């Protein structure tokens, strides 16, 4: 039995066609079912439905053999305990610095509000810039509007959320997409099954990319 950890919402939706290529179709819809363990049309594969930020933890500890997680989440997690064999190319967005339209980023020490503390610290450290990082769990866009911070670091897709709050993107930190992650022990113990799945997902992710271009 292989257990795959996924989060509801955009990752689940975009992973469905990839999983279907491997014959994996959940027998229930996690958006309507309250079940956290979903059987699939393959009796050797089940899905566990967890919060996006918890996927690396479940996989690292072997509670799931595989998982699908955003690169943003993986960058915040110490991923020494995981293999990351595949970029699935789904749930794409950009990790960016953003600030109010009418404000320039001042020289010197600035305050940055974000959920992505590690990525933010690493980015500004690479630039040799002193910043004070303020950890938030959501609604980052609000922080510069009420004087909590000078700017934010957040994920941007269409840019609508920034625009709606009078913010503009300033700098790209990282292009983000979702990755397949694998538990290190499972990779050894269940090598044949995992290897086969990785190959199919890789091929299907490539097909999707070709269709897009
Ligand atoms: O929502 P929940 O609190 O349960 O957890 P989560 O926010 O971690 O999960 P979810 O499902 O919202 O996001 C899962 C993953 O999708 C993230 O880890 C990213 O890798 C990826 N992803 C892709 C995104 C976006 N695009 C995205 N646009 N995650 C979040 N957003 C948010 C962003 O934070 C901002 O609030 O959408 C808003 C910006 O979108 P635009 O289109 O207005 O620019
Ligand atoms: Mg969300």
């Amino acid at each position: 039995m292989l257990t795959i950890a996924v989060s509801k919402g955009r990752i689940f939706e975009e992973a469905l066609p990839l999983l279907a290529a491997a014959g994996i179709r959940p027998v229930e819809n996690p958006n309507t079912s309250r079940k956290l363990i979903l059987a699939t049309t393959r009796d050797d594969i089940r899905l566990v439905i967890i919060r996006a930020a918890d996927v690396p933890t479940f996989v690292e500890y072997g509670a799931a053999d595989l998982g699908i997680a955003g690169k943003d989440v993986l960058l915040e997690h110490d991923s020494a305990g995981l293999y990351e064999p595949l970029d699935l190319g789904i749930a794409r967005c950009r990790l960016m610095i953003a600030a109010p339209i009418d404000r320039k980023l001042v020289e010197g020490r600035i305050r940055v509000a974000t959920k992505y503390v590690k990525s933010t610290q690493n980015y500004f450290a690479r630039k040799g810039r002193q910043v004070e990082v303020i950890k938030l769990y959501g609604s980052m866009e609000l922080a510069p509007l009420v004087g909590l911070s000078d700017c934010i670091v957040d994920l941007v897709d269409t840019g609508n959320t920034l625009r709606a709050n009078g913010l503009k993107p300033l700098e790209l930190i990282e292009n983000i997409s979702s990755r397949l992650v694998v538990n290190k022990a499972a990779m050894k113990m269940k090598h044949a099954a995992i290897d086969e799945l990785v190959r199919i997902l890789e091929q299907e992710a490539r097909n999707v990319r070709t269709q897009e271009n």
Side-chain angles (χ1 to χ4, degrees):
M1 174 67 92
L2 286 181
T3 301
I4 307 177
V6 290
S7 53
K8 297 198 236 201
R10 70 190 97 214
I11 289 183
F12 184 83
E13 303 300 332
E14 294 190 39
L16 276 181
L18 299 181
L19 293 171
I24 305 166
R25 291 179 187 82
V27 297
E28 277 174 285
N29 178 347
N31 297 318
T32 50
S33 165
R34 284 169 192 271
K35 281 195 188 160
L36 299 176
I37 301 180
L38 299 184
T40 74
T41 44
R42 272 182 61 171
D43 55 15
D44 59 338
I45 295 185
R46 63 177 186 174
L47 304 182
V48 290
I49 306 299
I50 56 184
R51 290 293 290 266
D54 291 332
V55 168
T57 306
F58 274 69
V59 175
E60 186 178 343
Y61 285 90
D65 301 299
L66 306 111
I68 300 176
K71 187 68 186 176
D72 51 313
V73 164
L74 293 170
L75 288 168
E76 295 302 305
H77 188 90
D78 171 21
S79 54
L82 297 171
Y83 289 122
E84 191 189 307
L86 197 56
D87 182 352
L88 294 169
I90 59 171
R92 285 201 211 136
C93 57
R94 287 152 289 148
L95 185 66
M96 300 198 74
I97 303 174
I101 293 167
D102 53 5
R103 245 185 276 163
K104 267 206 257 169
L105 275 195
V106 293
E107 297 293 314
R109 196 177 165 88
I110 52 168
R111 290 207 294 203
V112 188
T114 189
K115 187 160 124 182
Y116 306 98
V117 172
K118 258 198 196 179
S119 297
T120 300
Q121 276 165 346
N122 288 339
Y123 178 78
F124 284 105
R126 284 201 299 274
K127 297 218 127 194
R129 178 125 202 222
Q130 288 267 328
V131 295
E132 181 182 345
V133 178
I134 299 173
K135 164 89 186 185
L136 293 179
Y137 292 87
S139 303
M140 266 87 82
E141 303 81 16
L142 183 61
L145 306 178
V146 293
L148 179 60
S149 70
D150 298 292
C151 63
I152 64 171
V153 167
D154 195 8
L155 299 174
V156 182
D157 179 17
T158 61
N160 289 339
T161 305
L162 293 182
R163 266 190 301 279
N165 291 291
L167 306 178
K168 62 170 188 288
L170 291 180
E171 287 170 45
L172 175 70
I173 295 183
E174 200 86 50
N175 283 306
I176 302 293
S177 55
S178 289
R179 313 301 165 99
L180 187 73
V181 289
V182 183
N183 173 267
K184 285 195 167 168
M187 190 69 125
K188 287 201 194 91
M189 311 279 291
K190 305 180 181 178
H191 188 265
I194 290 176
D195 202 52
E196 194 208 344
L197 186 56
V198 170
R199 270 168 221 257
I200 295 171
L201 293 176
E202 185 170 29
Q203 183 56 49
E204 193 56 24
R206 199 178 300 141
N207 290 347
V208 171
R209 233 166 278 184
T210 319
Q211 283 161 22
E212 282 171 2
N213 294 332

